[in-house]
Amino acid sequence: AFVGQEWCRPCERGAHGAALVDRATFDCHGGYATSWYHSVGRVQRSTLDGAVYSEAEVDHYDDTVFLENDVISGGIGSMYGTLFVRNSVVAGGVSLTTAYAATTIESSVLRDATCAVTADSADFVVRNTLFWNDTANACGTFLDPVGTNDDAAADPLFTDAAHGDFTLQPG
């Protein structure tokens, strides 16, 4: 477990196991802040400057990565695995390849992406999520979620997102 630490190595990878990252800062701009293969992982209350990637073995449906209360710059990619993104701010989009039905993005902000969600399957849920400053909300076979499941496209009124202050202004 990484708790309250700053950490970066090119393509830091958890494989065939489990890990917890809590209140950590990963400064891996242009690389992977975390990468998971056939693992169960949780990243919470952390700031990740770099991409998050998870990949499961095709027949291992319990390979799950939880991202909760995080700020992620660099996007998220997931192949075959189950992914939960909750209460997080994600810049750079979410790309899902053959995502399993349990994949969920909820109560989050997807921002500053060419495509906020790219998927080759509709077998996942996006709900209570805000799309902000994205060129497109959805690409691939996934339909634009704005207007369903309380998803919307609007400015979240962050205090100063350009300088990392994601607290909300009144309104």
Side-chain angles (χ1 to χ4, degrees):
F2 298 100
V3 180
Q5 298 181 25
E6 291 193 23
W7 185 264
C8 181
R9 289 186 183 158
C11 197
E12 191 59 38
R13 186 174 180 132
H16 293 86
L20 167 66
V21 177
D22 186 14
R23 291 177 291 220
T25 300
F26 285 64
D27 186 2
C28 303
H29 187 76
Y32 289 109
T34 62
S35 178
W36 308 84
Y37 177 71
H38 184 44
S39 301
V40 175
R42 179 176 300 276
V43 180
Q44 60 191 26
R45 301 178 293 199
S46 296
T47 301
L48 300 113
D49 185 4
V52 173
Y53 180 75
S54 69
E55 181 176 341
E57 291 182 1
V58 177
D59 59 346
H60 292 266
Y61 302 105
D62 56 346
D63 293 345
T64 304
V65 174
F66 298 88
L67 303 167
E68 298 179 297
N69 302 306
D70 299 310
V71 175
I72 302 167
S73 300
I76 300 170
S78 181
M79 184 184 309
Y80 300 117
T82 300
L83 178 69
F84 286 92
V85 180
R86 289 191 180 116
N87 304 322
S88 294
V89 177
V90 180
V94 178
S95 178
L96 305 169
T97 304
T98 315
Y100 294 130
T103 296
T104 302
I105 301 169
E106 68 181 5
S107 303
S108 294
V109 176
L110 304 181
R111 61 182 278 256
D112 301 322
T114 302
C115 187
V117 178
T118 303
D120 68 357
S121 169
D123 292 337
F124 63 95
V125 175
V126 177
R127 66 176 162 246
N128 302 313
T129 292
L130 194 62
F131 294 81
W132 175 48
N133 202 33
D134 299 303
T135 304
N137 298 329
C139 301
T141 59
F142 184 63
L143 300 176
D144 188 344
V146 171
T148 61
N149 297 326
D150 294 321
D151 298 317
D155 185 342
L157 300 176
F158 290 131
T159 300
D160 189 1
H163 294 99
D165 185 351
F166 294 99
T167 58
L168 299 175
Q169 296 179 48

